[in-house]
Amino acid sequence: MSHSDDDKSANKMWGGRFSAPPAEIMEEINASIGFDKVLAPQDIRGSKAHAAMLAEQGIITKSDAREIIKGLNQVSAEIEAGSFTFSRALEDVHMNVENRLKEIVGPAAGRLHTARSRNDQVALDFRLFVRDRLDEFDRALIVLKLALAAKAEIHAGTAMPGFTHLQPAQPVTFGHHLMAYVEMFARDRSRFSDARSRLNECPLGAAALAGTSFPIDRHMTAKALGFDRPTANSLDSVSDRDFVLEALAAATICGVHLSRFAEEIVLWMTPQFGFIRLSDGLTTGSSIMPQKRNPDAAELARAKVGRIAGAFQSIVIVMKGLPLAYSKDMQEDKEVTLDALSSLALAITAMTRMVEDMEPNKDAMRAASGRGYSTATDLADWLVRELKLPFREAHHVTGSIVKEAEKRKLDLEKLPLEAMQSIEPRISNAVYSVLSVENSLASRTSYGGTSPQNVRKMARGWLKRLEKELTSG
Ligand code: ARG
């Protein structure tokens, strides 16, 4: 019997010892081409590096390598042009690409899979894919942070209420609030970068699980594909998916940050808060209630973390208890990860657009920032500073003054001096200087505090750093 592919009874790639084709259900549960076709660019990149190395090492001829690389370039062009037909019978992206290569270049294609297995091939492709996504997140987060810092600089002194327990706590500035997210997204970038550095080892050449008897040069392929080094253990190389888990864990945390911010946008846009406005292009209407402006983009950004955290959970459960080395279970890592990483990219971009677009309603924010006795802490601090009261006592005295103000339905600033003196006789007129929102803000000059001066400095520092990163990256 010939080795040609006109034997339709079995799989073209591994069907030698089979005399019957896979059952319909076998093909259906086994095929991954429906989703792993997005790995084609990475698959082709890996194959080109592998072919070049095989030739360099004298394992295949230089002319075969040339044929293979030329053919892979054509496959790549066909996929880009959308003229490539993916076939479910060929299971996955690796065999679809290799089969087409064979149609284009003939027998030389059959030499590409020397010293390689789909196990190290898929580990490589997915690493390259996740690494590309991590790099995209890094850039997208720089752009998001730039938008935040730019808006924060403009609104370094724009008063808004600061909340704890979602109750008015102390005045802060809108710029300070935005800069809080700059810090969170900076830590997210650092987590992605950590994940990337551990991911950046090349599994190619681990072959099925045990390495190979061919004299391959794994350092050469690792270098050609931008890895720091080859992985050190062939079993680990084909069975490790913790690079996916780490990327998803970092993505989950980033998704949580985006979600919290998105929730604030939703709150701020309610008429009850009325803190910000988004333009028509970033809101939607209702098909029944003509007055509505809905923050759908923020709501969806708030929700995306559900899928991302779900993907992390899903892969933790797939990997738990799997014996070494490769098992087909691991094919289940792809769909959820692809979805999760696209969801995060989308959420980051949507949030960036909203930050660039949002305009604060300064009057509403200023008015709200003075409500709820938000400068009571400033009063207590004044009692400590000027009257030398211990803070605990000052806290108690201030509490009684707030109670009195509440009874008279007055803000602290409007409460007559006698009313305060009836509680603490040594309070003087000078106290009023600390009771305004503006004074409260200006006084918070401790490192990391909300004073407009601090916020402006932080925002400018970040803008400078981020602009440099954007142009150098
Ligand atoms: N489609 C497979 C996956 O995603 C590729 C590796 C298949 N390896 C194998 N020995 N069947 O995991």
Side-chain angles (χ1 to χ4, degrees), residues 8-261:
K8 294 274 185 283
S9 64
N11 183 289
K12 289 180 195 172
M13 298 288 168
W14 46 251
R17 56 106 71 216
F18 287 77
S19 43
E24 169 67 18
I25 183 63
M26 184 63 233
E27 197 178 298
E28 195 176 339
I29 194 171
N30 202 31
S32 54
I33 190 62
F35 48 87
D36 70 12
K37 61 181 171 210
V38 301
L39 301 180
Q42 287 78 10
D43 194 69
I44 291 169
R45 228 170 116 194
S47 289
K48 282 159 76 173
H50 186 65
M53 181 277 292
L54 291 176
E56 187 64 34
Q57 295 299 100
I59 301 166
I60 64 172
T61 64
K62 300 240 150 125
S63 86
D64 278 347
R66 261 195 309 276
E67 284 293 292
I68 289 170
I69 290 169
K70 226 175 86 193
L72 286 168
N73 286 335
Q74 185 181 325
V75 175
S76 170
E78 289 175 6
I79 291 172
E80 255 173 62
S83 61
F84 191 99
T85 346
F86 292 99
S87 139
R88 195 179 79 166
L90 289 164
E91 278 182 42
D92 57 24
V93 64
H94 322 295
M95 298 205 293
N96 269 271
V97 168
E98 193 184 319
N99 183 66
R100 179 70 190 125
L101 181 68
K102 191 172 174 196
E103 288 170 2
I104 299 168
V105 309
R111 302 196 182 278
L112 171 62
H113 213 52
T114 315
R116 185 177 79 168
S117 143
R118 275 188 293 155
N119 297 350
D120 58 339
Q121 200 178 349
V122 74
L124 169 69
D125 294 1
F126 209 29
R127 268 183 204 242
L128 287 172
F129 183 89
V130 172
R131 190 178 74 182
D132 287 348
R133 279 342 280 266
L134 292 179
D135 291 342
E136 281 169 36
F137 293 154
D138 192 60
R139 284 194 85 70
L141 287 174
I142 293 178
V143 176
L144 172 55
K145 286 196 295 173
L146 268 172
L148 285 162
K151 193 121 292 185
E153 189 192 10
I154 299 169
H155 293 290
T158 302
M160 76 175 268
F163 300 93
T164 60
H165 313 265
L166 200 54
Q167 300 292 322
Q170 293 173 354
V172 295
T173 78
F174 186 46
H176 195 52
H177 196 111
L178 297 178
M179 290 306 293
Y181 285 100
V182 170
E183 298 296 330
M184 290 178 241
F185 295 130
R187 291 193 297 275
D188 289 333
R189 281 181 69 202
S190 136
R191 266 181 286 272
F192 285 131
S193 146
D194 277 354
R196 190 194 197 283
S197 66
R198 271 182 296 276
L199 166 152
N200 209 30
E201 295 185 343
C202 185
L204 185 61
L209 77 165
T212 175
S213 58
F214 290 99
I216 58 172
D217 181 354
R218 294 192 57 211
H219 292 274
M220 178 181 167
T221 39
K223 190 162 171 231
L225 294 165
F227 289 101
D228 296 330
R229 62 192 81 84
T231 50
N233 181 295
S234 60
L235 290 169
D236 177 43
S237 309
V238 294
S239 65
D240 150 50
R241 291 295 179 272
D242 50 275
F243 71 90
V244 184
L245 287 173
E246 269 199 85
L248 288 174
T252 300
I253 298 173
C254 181
V256 167
H257 289 155
L258 291 166
S259 180
R260 296 182 69 174
F261 189 25

Side-chain angles (χ1 to χ4, degrees), residues 447-458:
Y447 183 78
T450 196
S451 79
Q453 188 193 334
N454 270 1
V455 174
R456 204 166 291 119
K457 195 166 152 206
M458 284 288 178

